[in-house]
Amino acid sequence: SIPVQSSKRCAVIGGSGFLGRHLVEKLLGKGYTVSVFDIRQSYELPGVTFHQGDLCDKQALLTALQGVSLVFHCASPAPASDDKALFQRVNIQGTQTVLQACTEAGVQKVVLTSSASVVFEGTDIKDGREDLPYAKKPIDYYTETKIEQEKLVLKACDKEKGLLTVAIRPHGIFGPRDPQLVPILVDTARRGKMKFIIGDGSNLVDFTFVDNVVHGHILAAESLRPESPICGKAYHITNDEPVRF
Ligand code: NAD
């Protein structure tokens, strides 16, 4: 039997993570029913069903995606890892598995959390737009797999088949419960390693408040319709002003 799908039933793959949990909380506030799919469960919330599993496991995904019409994919190994095989398995093969599972489960929309680093070649970008090409020499292997992941998701956008996709590209995300960005900066400063300035002190870097990143994801999801110009496209997401770094 085909489960009844409601446009307010969604799944957040990576929903136990920093961004994922903020997304889950906002979705609940907007009246969505949320399934979280993650290799770990880091909290409990009324209105959320947790499915613990690896996104490379299609059967496990299919269970979590029953009756779901909208999927947010914001799971990834930690960028600081040097485990190339893990990035390859999760970000590339795993994303293919997610897309297959979505097709089989009749999911209609997929919103991917990509990264602004997919266009970063190691040289300054100011007011960079989405028509910048993908980096030919990505800064690390994590980014290389984020590029492949984004291409896979955007290519899967197929109005005939009824699967619509879009990607959101944040850069550094900050906000409550941030496990990496601010804690690492503070720790580096405490150890006296921030006394040096690279360049003339006028370098800018794009940090985005987590609520704005979440807002961008939900706007993308809610605007994703067959006639919408956002189908199969990627969007940078940022605050109004970059931060002096
Ligand atoms: P996070 O580490 O807090 O969350 C990622 C979640 O993915 C974790 O809960 C983890 O358990 C889960 N996960 C990892 N491997 C999995 C697997 N095989 N199966 C199922 N779940 C798995 O990271 P985050 O900062 O919330 O990042 C979320 C997304 O945003 C990622 O795609 C990341 O590439 C992207 N991003 C983050 C930043 C940032 O500054 N945090 C910047 C740009 C892009």
Side-chain angles (χ1 to χ4, degrees):
S1 69
I2 298 168
V4 180
Q5 287 192 331
S6 143
S7 61
K8 286 267 176 183
R9 275 193 80 171
C10 66
V12 180
I13 303 174
S16 292
F18 166 51
L19 173 64
R21 180 171 171 186
H22 280 280
L23 188 55
V24 169
E25 288 172 352
K26 183 58 121 207
L27 288 164
L28 290 174
K30 290 179 74 83
Y32 284 84
T33 310
V34 185
S35 291
V36 166
F37 185 91
D38 203 296
I39 36 173
R40 63 188 175 115
Q41 180 175 353
S42 62
Y43 60 95
E44 278 180 42
L45 265 181
V48 180
T49 315
F50 279 91
H51 297 265
Q52 207 166 336
D54 189 321
L55 63 82
C56 302
D57 176 351
K58 194 172 79 181
Q59 285 311 319
L61 280 169
L62 284 173
T63 309
L65 297 184
Q66 270 190 35
V68 165
S69 61
L70 164 63
V71 167
F72 295 93
H73 177 6
C74 57
S76 169
S81 160
D82 56 7
D83 188 341
K84 281 195 170 189
L86 182 67
F87 285 128
Q88 159 80 29
R89 191 178 71 81
V90 177
N91 286 353
I92 302 180
Q93 282 149 243
T95 298
Q96 270 162 338
T97 307
V98 167
L99 291 166
Q100 274 162 14
C102 286
T103 305
E104 285 179 32
V107 168
Q108 286 144 13
K109 305 177 185 190
V110 175
V111 180
L112 171 73
T113 315
S114 180
S115 168
S117 62
V118 300
V119 297
F120 185 56
E121 293 272 13
T123 49
D124 292 351
I125 297 176
K126 208 177 169 201
D127 301 328
R129 298 194 340 184
E130 288 79 0
D131 53 10
L132 284 167
Y134 287 114
K136 285 193 200 65
K137 288 185 194 147
I139 46 167
D140 52 21
Y141 192 68
Y142 158 76
T143 307
E144 205 174 311
T145 61
K146 290 296 281 185
I147 294 175
E148 288 313 309
Q149 176 189 51
E150 189 188 279
K151 287 183 181 167
L152 284 170
V153 170
L154 298 183
K155 212 175 59 190
C157 190
D158 187 334
K159 290 172 203 176
E160 307 299 307
K161 280 196 195 154
L163 184 69
L164 304 179
T165 65
V166 65
I168 298 295
R169 296 174 177 170
H171 186 239
I173 309 172
F174 68 94
R177 300 190 301 262
D178 154 32
Q180 293 174 43
L181 188 77
V182 173
I184 290 171
L185 281 180
V186 169
D187 183 59
T188 312
R190 283 219 177 96
R191 286 187 290 117
K193 296 205 167 161
M194 295 261 274
K195 290 175 186 151
F196 311 98
I197 295 175
I198 298 169
D200 62 4
S202 64
N203 288 344
L204 300 174
V205 75
D206 188 29
F207 291 132
T208 308
F209 185 55
V210 66
D211 284 1
N212 291 335
V213 180
V214 165
H215 184 56
H217 279 71
I218 296 176
L219 279 182
E222 292 184 344
S223 324
L224 197 54
R225 282 183 294 273
E227 69 280 10
S228 158
I230 74 168
C231 290
K233 300 224 175 97
Y235 290 90
H236 294 154
I237 181 90
T238 180
N239 292 331
D240 280 352
E241 291 290 334
V243 178
R244 200 165 286 281
F245 192 53

